[in-house]
Amino acid sequence: MVFTSTPRFKRWRARAIASTALIGLCLDGSALAAPVSGRWVTAWASAMQSIPDLPDPPPLYRTPEVAGRTIRQIVYPTVSGRSVRVHLSNALSRAPLTLTAVTLAQSASGAATRPGTSVRVTFGGKPWVTLQPGAEADSDPVSTELTAGEPYAISLAAGPAQTLTAWHRVANQINYVSTPGDHSADVRATAFPRKFTESAWVSGLDVQASSAAAVAAIGDSITDGLRSSLNRNRRWPDAFARRLEQAGVDRTAVLNLGISGNRLLSDSPCYGQALERRFERDALGHAAVTAVIVLIGINDINFGSMPPRVGLDCDFPHTSVNARDLTDGYRRLIDRAHRSGVRIFGATLLPASLPPAREAVRSAVNDWIRRSRAFDGVVDFDAALRDSAHPERLQRRFDSGDHIHPSDEGYAAMAAAIPVEMFATVTPR
């Protein structure tokens, strides 16, 4: 089965399937693998980025051997459901993606899965799929029960010539690559000796749930959760999902669409497309997104002052920006969100111990976010984490040690600073 679907087609298909009462049709007209009822909502998501195309990349950008092997990655859905579909993305790759088998199972310890929980995922009724460069596709719905907050293993057996040309580089989760062969149905971990902390090919996991909706958290490394504890789900979107559940704002997914190093206005060889270019696909393109929280801009402010590097220069282009450049970019995001019927909340930029000229830009941007009333609401992360005596710095207890990224405690404080009442009406009733 070869797919060439686009983000626009994906959203159309999501609406079409959601409106079908009892049974839907695959792309080829055959019956779906599971009855369709209720509303599709993306319960977990990740933003893809291209891998630098270099003959001898530095260690951080060297990819594992995946040809004829199986990738097993662990995901944590934030909404429960009994019908599931996997969204594959080859949108940013330079080569076709061929998968010969895909399974979904409850995760056990490490790369192991719980016996008796594995289900085969199909595409147009077939167990294999090929996506051309630029293409995306949803799987057929599969009847299986997902529980919010629990780990699940998505196993993807790659074709014999498959390579990785796109991924999500900072997954902050240990994933696994097998020895040669299709090990997608293996329960034991022994066939998965290779660990890596990136993720690939799967950009969303959707479930069907009545009266459910999703909040897209989109931004840079601070949303991505860089320097939070590995394998422990201590990023601020994780903590916010738990907070919503505790506050009784149920059936609301929180999707982490941060990319470390990402900028609002400029692409990067390493850090993904500019957020304003990827906004429609990564924030608005997921099923049942009704609100977005945007935290972006600190890298735009910083990278213009970074020295050029020989070889792989991830900070290229070294574009200098002022506050007006960033606020004009925010306005463009706001317009796109509102045209899609989605509320958008602006988050203030955290302290980063910047030199005076760059700190002045950050301060002006934050003043605009707070005072312009351009966003539908404001999440004041800066006020929650700054040192009151030195507002250009993070509080010591919230600082991971690099004076830019929060610690686990800092990420928890970010989640606690989000006014839950702004999201109490996100879920349609």
Side-chain angles (χ1 to χ4, degrees):
M1 176 61 65
V2 178
F3 282 99
T4 57
S5 59
T6 64
R8 183 184 299 274
F9 177 80
K10 178 196 171 208
R11 290 193 299 277
W12 171 86
R13 186 169 184 255
R15 295 188 187 104
I17 293 176
S19 65
T20 306
L22 291 176
I23 191 163
L25 297 178
C26 295
L27 293 178
D28 62 0
S30 61
L32 293 171
V36 176
S37 61
R39 174 185 177 90
W40 282 113
V41 57
T42 302
W44 174 91
S46 182
M48 296 291 110
Q49 57 199 111
S50 295
I51 301 170
D53 186 14
L54 298 171
D56 185 25
L60 282 176
Y61 295 95
R62 292 177 188 163
T63 62
E65 175 63 48
V66 298
R69 300 169 188 256
T70 303
I71 284 183
R72 176 165 288 175
Q73 43 200 49
I74 311 302
V75 304
Y76 288 79
T78 52
V79 164
S80 302
R82 294 182 177 177
S83 186
V84 182
R85 66 184 183 189
V86 175
H87 186 72
L88 300 179
S89 177
N90 205 36
L92 299 175
S93 293
R94 300 180 293 274
L97 167 63
T98 295
L99 301 176
T100 59
V102 178
T103 63
L104 175 68
Q106 293 179 21
S107 176
S109 176
T113 61
R114 297 191 181 280
T117 66
S118 180
V119 291
R120 185 71 63 180
V121 178
T122 60
F123 297 83
K126 296 178 172 60
W128 58 271
V129 63
T130 294
L131 298 181
Q132 297 303 317
E136 300 183 275
D138 289 316
S139 74
D140 302 328
V142 176
S143 291
T144 190
E145 187 158 352
L146 259 64
T147 302
E150 294 297 316
Y152 292 84
I154 303 175
S155 302
L156 309 109
Q162 191 61 51
T163 59
L164 273 180
T165 61
W167 59 10
H168 182 84
R169 194 178 71 80
V170 183
N172 234 19
Q173 169 69 50
I174 295 176
N175 295 314
Y176 305 90
V177 181
S178 77
T179 55
D182 176 3
H183 297 281
S184 58
D186 284 18
V187 172
R188 298 176 63 189
T190 51
F192 292 88
R194 173 74 155 84
K195 298 178 181 179
F196 73 128
T197 54
E198 295 81 23
S199 61
W201 304 331
V202 179
S203 64
L205 185 67
D206 298 350
V207 302
Q208 284 192 314
S210 60
S211 300
V215 176
I218 191 165
D220 52 32
S221 58
I222 296 175
T223 296
D224 210 5
L226 188 65
R227 295 179 70 92
S228 65
S229 293
L230 181 68
N231 266 18
R232 297 191 65 191
N233 295 328
R234 296 296 181 89
R235 316 163 191 87
W236 75 256
D238 301 320
F240 182 50
R242 292 189 289 268
R243 186 162 175 249
L244 286 177
E245 183 180 16
Q246 292 163 3
V249 185
D250 56 353
R251 302 187 303 282
T252 301
V254 180
L255 312 179
N256 190 331
L257 298 160
I259 294 179
S260 292
N262 203 220
R263 283 180 277 184
L264 174 64
L265 303 175
S266 296
D267 294 352
S268 162
C270 312
Y271 304 141
Q273 291 180 328
L275 191 145
E276 71 168 338
R277 288 189 61 208
R278 69 184 183 92
F279 185 68
E280 185 172 358
R281 177 187 67 245
D282 287 350
L284 306 181
H286 287 288
V289 168
T290 58
V292 178
I293 302 173
V294 176
L295 173 59
I296 194 75
I298 201 69
N299 294 321
D300 296 79
I301 295 170
N302 269 331
F303 286 4
S305 300
M306 296 295 105
R309 292 173 172 83
V310 176
L312 179 59
D313 186 356
C314 291
D315 302 337
F316 179 84
H318 298 259
T319 308
S320 295
V321 302
N322 57 36
R324 179 64 182 270
D325 295 327
L326 291 172
T327 59
D328 284 350
Y330 295 149
R331 287 189 185 278
R332 291 191 289 272
L333 298 185
I334 293 165
D335 179 64
R336 291 179 196 171
H338 288 169
R339 282 191 278 114
S340 296
V342 171
R343 291 190 292 162
I344 181 168
F345 300 90
T348 53
L349 305 182
L350 270 64
S353 299
L354 301 177
R358 280 179 263 168
E359 174 62 17
V361 176
R362 186 187 75 91
S363 179
V365 167
N366 283 350
D367 286 345
W368 183 88
I369 291 171
R370 293 182 181 110
R371 298 175 183 177
S372 69
R373 297 184 181 273
F375 286 103
D376 294 303
V378 174
V379 178
D380 204 340
F381 289 146
D382 170 59
L385 271 68
R386 68 191 178 203
D387 185 329
S388 58
H390 302 280
E392 75 283 0
R393 303 178 192 169
L394 291 167
Q395 291 185 47
R396 182 172 297 179
R397 65 193 175 113
F398 295 150
D399 189 341
S400 67
D402 68 358
H403 312 310
I404 297 173
H405 298 95
S407 60
D408 287 355
E409 187 177 359
Y411 284 124
M414 291 175 69
I418 303 173
V420 168
E421 60 271 15
M422 293 198 307
F423 299 91
T425 59
V426 163
T427 303
R429 302 296 180 187

